Amino acid sequence: MTRLVQGSDGRAWEVRAQMEWRRPATADDFEHDVAASYAPGVAMMVVTLILALVLIIWMPEDVIVPSWIPLALLVLALFFPLRWILRRPWTVVAETEGDPEGDRPSERWVGTVRGVFGVRGEVNKIAKSIQRHDLPDFEGPLHPVE
């Protein structure tokens, strides 16, 4: 997701967002990030699949399963993976090369926004702030980077 924005001072800003598959490491959660692994999640998925297969194999033949039960189980099984995908962190970058005369320097602002829908709204807010005030909002998720 990339958007070009013209500031009122004449500088052209590029605002872009990219989804991150891993949470960006920060100083606050470094110790927790070192010990993280996918093994417990994979083990729980295997146990769930085995229990579902045992339930299906041992089900008596005269049991009638309503057609909405498998659909409800599918929705329940897909809830958490879909939530995980929709809540991924996005890295948002707003940068400019400065103006041609050299009066205004180049700048780069970087931040993280969570969720597909949240990042779209935040990019719009950043673009409006640049158009009005020539900079991203200091109260927003972006912070200047040297």
Side-chain angles (χ1 to χ4, degrees):
M1 175 186 312
T2 302
R3 185 170 176 182
L4 296 174
V5 180
Q6 188 73 26
S8 62
D9 62 351
R11 293 188 293 178
W13 287 77
E14 179 183 8
V15 180
R16 65 179 182 274
Q18 179 180 1
M19 183 169 61
E20 300 293 335
W21 288 104
R22 293 182 185 264
R23 259 182 55 215
T26 61
D28 296 337
D29 55 7
F30 177 70
E31 292 177 11
H32 301 290
D33 195 35
V34 171
S37 76
Y38 297 109
V42 172
M44 288 303 296
M45 189 172 16
V46 169
V47 167
T48 303
L49 290 174
I50 290 173
L51 289 174
L53 285 174
V54 167
L55 180 67
I56 291 170
I57 291 171
W58 280 2
M59 186 170 52
E61 291 183 23
D62 57 343
V63 172
I64 299 173
V65 178
S67 59
W68 60 269
I69 296 279
L71 183 62
L73 290 175
L74 180 66
V75 167
L76 187 65
L78 290 178
F79 173 75
F80 288 106
L82 286 175
R83 182 179 178 269
W84 181 81
I85 289 171
L86 292 175
R87 299 272 305 147
R88 297 305 319 143
W90 287 66
T91 300
V92 180
V93 178
E95 60 186 347
T96 181
E97 295 296 324
D99 62 350
E101 293 84 32
D103 297 336
R104 304 286 296 219
S106 62
E107 293 186 48
R108 179 178 169 93
W109 293 56
V110 180
T112 303
V113 178
R114 203 169 244 302
V116 172
F117 304 113
V119 76
R120 185 172 305 273
E122 202 59 50
V123 166
N124 289 336
K125 287 180 190 175
I126 292 166
K128 287 179 185 176
S129 175
I130 289 172
Q131 289 171 344
R132 288 187 194 135
H133 309 292
D134 303 328
L135 289 173
D137 189 11
F138 282 101
E139 300 297 323
L142 298 185
H143 302 288
V145 176
E146 301 264 336

mmCIF file with all atom_site columns, all heavy atoms in Angstrom, residues 33-55:
data_model
loop_
_atom_site.group_PDB
_atom_site.id
_atom_site.type_symbol
_atom_site.label_atom_id
_atom_site.label_alt_id
_atom_site.label_comp_id
_atom_site.label_asym_id
_atom_site.label_entity_id
_atom_site.label_seq_id
_atom_site.pdbx_PDB_ins_code
_atom_site.Cartn_x
_atom_site.Cartn_y
_atom_site.Cartn_z
_atom_site.occupancy
_atom_site.B_iso_or_equiv
_atom_site.pdbx_formal_charge
_atom_site.auth_seq_id
_atom_site.auth_comp_id
_atom_site.auth_asym_id
_atom_site.auth_atom_id
_atom_site.pdbx_PDB_model_num
ATOM 1   N N   . ASP A 1 33 ? 10.541  -12.636 23.416 1.00 0.00 ? 33 ASP A N   1
ATOM 2   C CA  . ASP A 1 33 ? 10.676  -13.006 22.016 1.00 0.00 ? 33 ASP A CA  1
ATOM 3   C C   . ASP A 1 33 ? 11.726  -14.092 21.818 1.00 0.00 ? 33 ASP A C   1
ATOM 4   O O   . ASP A 1 33 ? 11.620  -14.906 20.921 1.00 0.00 ? 33 ASP A O   1
ATOM 5   C CB  . ASP A 1 33 ? 11.027  -11.770 21.192 1.00 0.00 ? 33 ASP A CB  1
ATOM 6   C CG  . ASP A 1 33 ? 10.830  -11.990 19.708 1.00 0.00 ? 33 ASP A CG  1
ATOM 7   O OD1 . ASP A 1 33 ? 9.885   -12.722 19.360 1.00 0.00 ? 33 ASP A OD1 1
ATOM 8   O OD2 . ASP A 1 33 ? 11.618  -11.449 18.917 1.00 0.00 ? 33 ASP A OD2 1
ATOM 9   N N   . VAL A 1 34 ? 12.736  -14.123 22.665 1.00 0.00 ? 34 VAL A N   1
ATOM 10  C CA  . VAL A 1 34 ? 13.809  -15.099 22.532 1.00 0.00 ? 34 VAL A CA  1
ATOM 11  C C   . VAL A 1 34 ? 13.283  -16.515 22.770 1.00 0.00 ? 34 VAL A C   1
ATOM 12  O O   . VAL A 1 34 ? 13.657  -17.453 22.091 1.00 0.00 ? 34 VAL A O   1
ATOM 13  C CB  . VAL A 1 34 ? 14.956  -14.773 23.514 1.00 0.00 ? 34 VAL A CB  1
ATOM 14  C CG1 . VAL A 1 34 ? 15.978  -15.879 23.553 1.00 0.00 ? 34 VAL A CG1 1
ATOM 15  C CG2 . VAL A 1 34 ? 15.605  -13.463 23.116 1.00 0.00 ? 34 VAL A CG2 1
ATOM 16  N N   . ALA A 1 35 ? 12.372  -16.683 23.710 1.00 0.00 ? 35 ALA A N   1
ATOM 17  C CA  . ALA A 1 35 ? 11.895  -18.011 24.081 1.00 0.00 ? 35 ALA A CA  1
ATOM 18  C C   . ALA A 1 35 ? 10.676  -18.453 23.271 1.00 0.00 ? 35 ALA A C   1
ATOM 19  O O   . ALA A 1 35 ? 10.174  -19.537 23.476 1.00 0.00 ? 35 ALA A O   1
ATOM 20  C CB  . ALA A 1 35 ? 11.529  -18.016 25.565 1.00 0.00 ? 35 ALA A CB  1
ATOM 21  N N   . ALA A 1 36 ? 10.193  -17.647 22.339 1.00 0.00 ? 36 ALA A N   1
ATOM 22  C CA  . ALA A 1 36 ? 8.976   -17.989 21.595 1.00 0.00 ? 36 ALA A CA  1
ATOM 23  C C   . ALA A 1 36 ? 9.251   -19.096 20.580 1.00 0.00 ? 36 ALA A C   1
ATOM 24  O O   . ALA A 1 36 ? 10.299  -19.152 19.963 1.00 0.00 ? 36 ALA A O   1
ATOM 25  C CB  . ALA A 1 36 ? 8.449   -16.760 20.882 1.00 0.00 ? 36 ALA A CB  1
ATOM 26  N N   . SER A 1 37 ? 8.269   -20.002 20.433 1.00 0.00 ? 37 SER A N   1
ATOM 27  C CA  . SER A 1 37 ? 8.364   -21.034 19.396 1.00 0.00 ? 37 SER A CA  1
ATOM 28  C C   . SER A 1 37 ? 6.944   -21.437 18.982 1.00 0.00 ? 37 SER A C   1
ATOM 29  O O   . SER A 1 37 ? 5.968   -21.104 19.634 1.00 0.00 ? 37 SER A O   1
ATOM 30  C CB  . SER A 1 37 ? 9.137   -22.249 19.900 1.00 0.00 ? 37 SER A CB  1
ATOM 31  O OG  . SER A 1 37 ? 8.335   -23.011 20.765 1.00 0.00 ? 37 SER A OG  1
ATOM 32  N N   . TYR A 1 38 ? 6.863   -22.145 17.873 1.00 0.00 ? 38 TYR A N   1
ATOM 33  C CA  . TYR A 1 38 ? 5.570   -22.568 17.340 1.00 0.00 ? 38 TYR A CA  1
ATOM 34  C C   . TYR A 1 38 ? 5.164   -23.962 17.822 1.00 0.00 ? 38 TYR A C   1
ATOM 35  O O   . TYR A 1 38 ? 4.095   -24.437 17.481 1.00 0.00 ? 38 TYR A O   1
ATOM 36  C CB  . TYR A 1 38 ? 5.608   -22.559 15.814 1.00 0.00 ? 38 TYR A CB  1
ATOM 37  C CG  . TYR A 1 38 ? 5.835   -21.200 15.237 1.00 0.00 ? 38 TYR A CG  1
ATOM 38  C CD1 . TYR A 1 38 ? 7.028   -20.860 14.622 1.00 0.00 ? 38 TYR A CD1 1
ATOM 39  C CD2 . TYR A 1 38 ? 4.850   -20.231 15.319 1.00 0.00 ? 38 TYR A CD2 1
ATOM 40  C CE1 . TYR A 1 38 ? 7.227   -19.610 14.089 1.00 0.00 ? 38 TYR A CE1 1
ATOM 41  C CE2 . TYR A 1 38 ? 5.043   -18.974 14.797 1.00 0.00 ? 38 TYR A CE2 1
ATOM 42  C CZ  . TYR A 1 38 ? 6.226   -18.669 14.172 1.00 0.00 ? 38 TYR A CZ  1
ATOM 43  O OH  . TYR A 1 38 ? 6.415   -17.424 13.651 1.00 0.00 ? 38 TYR A OH  1
ATOM 44  N N   . ALA A 1 39 ? 6.003   -24.624 18.584 1.00 0.00 ? 39 ALA A N   1
ATOM 45  C CA  . ALA A 1 39 ? 5.757   -26.005 18.989 1.00 0.00 ? 39 ALA A CA  1
ATOM 46  C C   . ALA A 1 39 ? 4.442   -26.189 19.757 1.00 0.00 ? 39 ALA A C   1
ATOM 47  O O   . ALA A 1 39 ? 3.689   -27.129 19.449 1.00 0.00 ? 39 ALA A O   1
ATOM 48  C CB  . ALA A 1 39 ? 6.926   -26.530 19.809 1.00 0.00 ? 39 ALA A CB  1
ATOM 49  N N   . PRO A 1 40 ? 4.085   -25.368 20.742 1.00 0.00 ? 40 PRO A N   1
ATOM 50  C CA  . PRO A 1 40 ? 2.819   -25.585 21.450 1.00 0.00 ? 40 PRO A CA  1
ATOM 51  C C   . PRO A 1 40 ? 1.599   -25.451 20.538 1.00 0.00 ? 40 PRO A C   1
ATOM 52  O O   . PRO A 1 40 ? 0.644   -26.227 20.651 1.00 0.00 ? 40 PRO A O   1
ATOM 53  C CB  . PRO A 1 40 ? 2.801   -24.499 22.529 1.00 0.00 ? 40 PRO A CB  1
ATOM 54  C CG  . PRO A 1 40 ? 4.213   -24.122 22.725 1.00 0.00 ? 40 PRO A CG  1
ATOM 55  C CD  . PRO A 1 40 ? 4.864   -24.308 21.393 1.00 0.00 ? 40 PRO A CD  1
ATOM 56  N N   . GLY A 1 41 ? 1.620   -24.497 19.614 1.00 0.00 ? 41 GLY A N   1
ATOM 57  C CA  . GLY A 1 41 ? 0.499   -24.331 18.685 1.00 0.00 ? 41 GLY A CA  1
ATOM 58  C C   . GLY A 1 41 ? 0.353   -25.518 17.751 1.00 0.00 ? 41 GLY A C   1
ATOM 59  O O   . GLY A 1 41 ? -0.758  -25.997 17.487 1.00 0.00 ? 41 GLY A O   1
ATOM 60  N N   . VAL A 1 42 ? 1.468   -26.010 17.248 1.00 0.00 ? 42 VAL A N   1
ATOM 61  C CA  . VAL A 1 42 ? 1.441   -27.175 16.353 1.00 0.00 ? 42 VAL A CA  1
ATOM 62  C C   . VAL A 1 42 ? 0.972   -28.411 17.116 1.00 0.00 ? 42 VAL A C   1
ATOM 63  O O   . VAL A 1 42 ? 0.172   -29.201 16.610 1.00 0.00 ? 42 VAL A O   1
ATOM 64  C CB  . VAL A 1 42 ? 2.837   -27.396 15.730 1.00 0.00 ? 42 VAL A CB  1
ATOM 65  C CG1 . VAL A 1 42 ? 2.898   -28.703 14.967 1.00 0.00 ? 42 VAL A CG1 1
ATOM 66  C CG2 . VAL A 1 42 ? 3.195   -26.228 14.819 1.00 0.00 ? 42 VAL A CG2 1
ATOM 67  N N   . ALA A 1 43 ? 1.431   -28.581 18.345 1.00 0.00 ? 43 ALA A N   1
ATOM 68  C CA  . ALA A 1 43 ? 1.010   -29.734 19.148 1.00 0.00 ? 43 ALA A CA  1
ATOM 69  C C   . ALA A 1 43 ? -0.488  -29.701 19.418 1.00 0.00 ? 43 ALA A C   1
ATOM 70  O O   . ALA A 1 43 ? -1.173  -30.734 19.309 1.00 0.00 ? 43 ALA A O   1
ATOM 71  C CB  . ALA A 1 43 ? 1.781   -29.774 20.464 1.00 0.00 ? 43 ALA A CB  1
ATOM 72  N N   . MET A 1 44 ? -1.036  -28.532 19.754 1.00 0.00 ? 44 MET A N   1
ATOM 73  C CA  . MET A 1 44 ? -2.480  -28.425 19.997 1.00 0.00 ? 44 MET A CA  1
ATOM 74  C C   . MET A 1 44 ? -3.284  -28.693 18.727 1.00 0.00 ? 44 MET A C   1
ATOM 75  O O   . MET A 1 44 ? -4.355  -29.305 18.783 1.00 0.00 ? 44 MET A O   1
ATOM 76  C CB  . MET A 1 44 ? -2.820  -27.042 20.555 1.00 0.00 ? 44 MET A CB  1
ATOM 77  C CG  . MET A 1 44 ? -2.374  -26.845 21.979 1.00 0.00 ? 44 MET A CG  1
ATOM 78  S SD  . MET A 1 44 ? -3.036  -28.070 23.123 1.00 0.00 ? 44 MET A SD  1
ATOM 79  C CE  . MET A 1 44 ? -4.766  -27.735 23.023 1.00 0.00 ? 44 MET A CE  1
ATOM 80  N N   . MET A 1 45 ? -2.786  -28.253 17.571 1.00 0.00 ? 45 MET A N   1
ATOM 81  C CA  . MET A 1 45 ? -3.486  -28.519 16.321 1.00 0.00 ? 45 MET A CA  1
ATOM 82  C C   . MET A 1 45 ? -3.501  -30.015 16.010 1.00 0.00 ? 45 MET A C   1
ATOM 83  O O   . MET A 1 45 ? -4.525  -30.555 15.589 1.00 0.00 ? 45 MET A O   1
ATOM 84  C CB  . MET A 1 45 ? -2.836  -27.753 15.163 1.00 0.00 ? 45 MET A CB  1
ATOM 85  C CG  . MET A 1 45 ? -3.647  -27.834 13.893 1.00 0.00 ? 45 MET A CG  1
ATOM 86  S SD  . MET A 1 45 ? -3.121  -26.796 12.517 1.00 0.00 ? 45 MET A SD  1
ATOM 87  C CE  . MET A 1 45 ? -1.500  -26.279 12.880 1.00 0.00 ? 45 MET A CE  1
ATOM 88  N N   . VAL A 1 46 ? -2.393  -30.695 16.248 1.00 0.00 ? 46 VAL A N   1
ATOM 89  C CA  . VAL A 1 46 ? -2.327  -32.139 16.011 1.00 0.00 ? 46 VAL A CA  1
ATOM 90  C C   . VAL A 1 46 ? -3.285  -32.880 16.952 1.00 0.00 ? 46 VAL A C   1
ATOM 91  O O   . VAL A 1 46 ? -4.017  -33.781 16.519 1.00 0.00 ? 46 VAL A O   1
ATOM 92  C CB  . VAL A 1 46 ? -0.878  -32.641 16.170 1.00 0.00 ? 46 VAL A CB  1
ATOM 93  C CG1 . VAL A 1 46 ? -0.818  -34.155 16.208 1.00 0.00 ? 46 VAL A CG1 1
ATOM 94  C CG2 . VAL A 1 46 ? -0.012  -32.107 15.036 1.00 0.00 ? 46 VAL A CG2 1
ATOM 95  N N   . VAL A 1 47 ? -3.309  -32.503 18.219 1.00 0.00 ? 47 VAL A N   1
ATOM 96  C CA  . VAL A 1 47 ? -4.217  -33.144 19.186 1.00 0.00 ? 47 VAL A CA  1
ATOM 97  C C   . VAL A 1 47 ? -5.672  -32.914 18.787 1.00 0.00 ? 47 VAL A C   1
ATOM 98  O O   . VAL A 1 47 ? -6.497  -33.837 18.841 1.00 0.00 ? 47 VAL A O   1
ATOM 99  C CB  . VAL A 1 47 ? -3.947  -32.611 20.618 1.00 0.00 ? 47 VAL A CB  1
ATOM 100 C CG1 . VAL A 1 47 ? -5.043  -33.008 21.576 1.00 0.00 ? 47 VAL A CG1 1
ATOM 101 C CG2 . VAL A 1 47 ? -2.603  -33.111 21.105 1.00 0.00 ? 47 VAL A CG2 1
ATOM 102 N N   . THR A 1 48 ? -6.005  -31.707 18.361 1.00 0.00 ? 48 THR A N   1
ATOM 103 C CA  . THR A 1 48 ? -7.373  -31.401 17.930 1.00 0.00 ? 48 THR A CA  1
ATOM 104 C C   . THR A 1 48 ? -7.768  -32.228 16.716 1.00 0.00 ? 48 THR A C   1
ATOM 105 O O   . THR A 1 48 ? -8.890  -32.773 16.656 1.00 0.00 ? 48 THR A O   1
ATOM 106 C CB  . THR A 1 48 ? -7.508  -29.896 17.619 1.00 0.00 ? 48 THR A CB  1
ATOM 107 O OG1 . THR A 1 48 ? -7.130  -29.154 18.772 1.00 0.00 ? 48 THR A OG1 1
ATOM 108 C CG2 . THR A 1 48 ? -8.918  -29.537 17.210 1.00 0.00 ? 48 THR A CG2 1
ATOM 109 N N   . LEU A 1 49 ? -6.889  -32.348 15.744 1.00 0.00 ? 49 LEU A N   1
ATOM 110 C CA  . LEU A 1 49 ? -7.187  -33.155 14.554 1.00 0.00 ? 49 LEU A CA  1
ATOM 111 C C   . LEU A 1 49 ? -7.360  -34.632 14.899 1.00 0.00 ? 49 LEU A C   1
ATOM 112 O O   . LEU A 1 49 ? -8.255  -35.309 14.377 1.00 0.00 ? 49 LEU A O   1
ATOM 113 C CB  . LEU A 1 49 ? -6.100  -32.976 13.503 1.00 0.00 ? 49 LEU A CB  1
ATOM 114 C CG  . LEU A 1 49 ? -6.058  -31.613 12.818 1.00 0.00 ? 49 LEU A CG  1
ATOM 115 C CD1 . LEU A 1 49 ? -4.849  -31.513 11.906 1.00 0.00 ? 49 LEU A CD1 1
ATOM 116 C CD2 . LEU A 1 49 ? -7.339  -31.363 12.052 1.00 0.00 ? 49 LEU A CD2 1
ATOM 117 N N   . ILE A 1 50 ? -6.529  -35.148 15.785 1.00 0.00 ? 50 ILE A N   1
ATOM 118 C CA  . ILE A 1 50 ? -6.648  -36.556 16.195 1.00 0.00 ? 50 ILE A CA  1
ATOM 119 C C   . ILE A 1 50 ? -7.978  -36.791 16.906 1.00 0.00 ? 50 ILE A C   1
ATOM 120 O O   . ILE A 1 50 ? -8.678  -37.776 16.630 1.00 0.00 ? 50 ILE A O   1
ATOM 121 C CB  . ILE A 1 50 ? -5.450  -36.966 17.079 1.00 0.00 ? 50 ILE A CB  1
ATOM 122 C CG1 . ILE A 1 50 ? -4.182  -37.039 16.232 1.00 0.00 ? 50 ILE A CG1 1
ATOM 123 C CG2 . ILE A 1 50 ? -5.716  -38.296 17.770 1.00 0.00 ? 50 ILE A CG2 1
ATOM 124 C CD1 . ILE A 1 50 ? -2.918  -37.260 17.027 1.00 0.00 ? 50 ILE A CD1 1
ATOM 125 N N   . LEU A 1 51 ? -8.359  -35.883 17.826 1.00 0.00 ? 51 LEU A N   1
ATOM 126 C CA  . LEU A 1 51 ? -9.634  -36.034 18.526 1.00 0.00 ? 51 LEU A CA  1
ATOM 127 C C   . LEU A 1 51 ? -10.820 -35.933 17.560 1.00 0.00 ? 51 LEU A C   1
ATOM 128 O O   . LEU A 1 51 ? -11.804 -36.666 17.707 1.00 0.00 ? 51 LEU A O   1
ATOM 129 C CB  . LEU A 1 51 ? -9.756  -34.990 19.633 1.00 0.00 ? 51 LEU A CB  1
ATOM 130 C CG  . LEU A 1 51 ? -8.840  -35.204 20.841 1.00 0.00 ? 51 LEU A CG  1
ATOM 131 C CD1 . LEU A 1 51 ? -8.952  -34.017 21.785 1.00 0.00 ? 51 LEU A CD1 1
ATOM 132 C CD2 . LEU A 1 51 ? -9.171  -36.501 21.555 1.00 0.00 ? 51 LEU A CD2 1
ATOM 133 N N   . ALA A 1 52 ? -10.742 -35.058 16.570 1.00 0.00 ? 52 ALA A N   1
ATOM 134 C CA  . ALA A 1 52 ? -11.822 -34.945 15.578 1.00 0.00 ? 52 ALA A CA  1
ATOM 135 C C   . ALA A 1 52 ? -11.925 -36.218 14.747 1.00 0.00 ? 52 ALA A C   1
ATOM 136 O O   . ALA A 1 52 ? -13.036 -36.712 14.472 1.00 0.00 ? 52 ALA A O   1
ATOM 137 C CB  . ALA A 1 52 ? -11.582 -33.737 14.679 1.00 0.00 ? 52 ALA A CB  1
ATOM 138 N N   . LEU A 1 53 ? -10.792 -36.791 14.351 1.00 0.00 ? 53 LEU A N   1
ATOM 139 C CA  . LEU A 1 53 ? -10.820 -38.051 13.586 1.00 0.00 ? 53 LEU A CA  1
ATOM 140 C C   . LEU A 1 53 ? -11.392 -39.199 14.417 1.00 0.00 ? 53 LEU A C   1
ATOM 141 O O   . LEU A 1 53 ? -12.171 -40.014 13.907 1.00 0.00 ? 53 LEU A O   1
ATOM 142 C CB  . LEU A 1 53 ? -9.415  -38.402 13.093 1.00 0.00 ? 53 LEU A CB  1
ATOM 143 C CG  . LEU A 1 53 ? -8.908  -37.579 11.919 1.00 0.00 ? 53 LEU A CG  1
ATOM 144 C CD1 . LEU A 1 53 ? -7.456  -37.918 11.626 1.00 0.00 ? 53 LEU A CD1 1
ATOM 145 C CD2 . LEU A 1 53 ? -9.767  -37.813 10.696 1.00 0.00 ? 53 LEU A CD2 1
ATOM 146 N N   . VAL A 1 54 ? -11.003 -39.284 15.686 1.00 0.00 ? 54 VAL A N   1
ATOM 147 C CA  . VAL A 1 54 ? -11.537 -40.328 16.559 1.00 0.00 ? 54 VAL A CA  1
ATOM 148 C C   . VAL A 1 54 ? -13.051 -40.171 16.701 1.00 0.00 ? 54 VAL A C   1
ATOM 149 O O   . VAL A 1 54 ? -13.803 -41.158 16.658 1.00 0.00 ? 54 VAL A O   1
ATOM 150 C CB  . VAL A 1 54 ? -10.835 -40.289 17.936 1.00 0.00 ? 54 VAL A CB  1
ATOM 151 C CG1 . VAL A 1 54 ? -11.567 -41.128 18.954 1.00 0.00 ? 54 VAL A CG1 1
ATOM 152 C CG2 . VAL A 1 54 ? -9.385  -40.738 17.797 1.00 0.00 ? 54 VAL A CG2 1
ATOM 153 N N   . LEU A 1 55 ? -13.527 -38.959 16.855 1.00 0.00 ? 55 LEU A N   1
ATOM 154 C CA  . LEU A 1 55 ? -14.966 -38.709 16.965 1.00 0.00 ? 55 LEU A CA  1
ATOM 155 C C   . LEU A 1 55 ? -15.705 -39.143 15.704 1.00 0.00 ? 55 LEU A C   1
ATOM 156 O O   . LEU A 1 55 ? -16.766 -39.769 15.784 1.00 0.00 ? 55 LEU A O   1
ATOM 157 C CB  . LEU A 1 55 ? -15.216 -37.219 17.241 1.00 0.00 ? 55 LEU A CB  1
ATOM 158 C CG  . LEU A 1 55 ? -16.672 -36.804 17.389 1.00 0.00 ? 55 LEU A CG  1
ATOM 159 C CD1 . LEU A 1 55 ? -17.261 -37.430 18.644 1.00 0.00 ? 55 LEU A CD1 1
ATOM 160 C CD2 . LEU A 1 55 ? -16.794 -35.300 17.432 1.00 0.00 ? 55 LEU A CD2 1
#
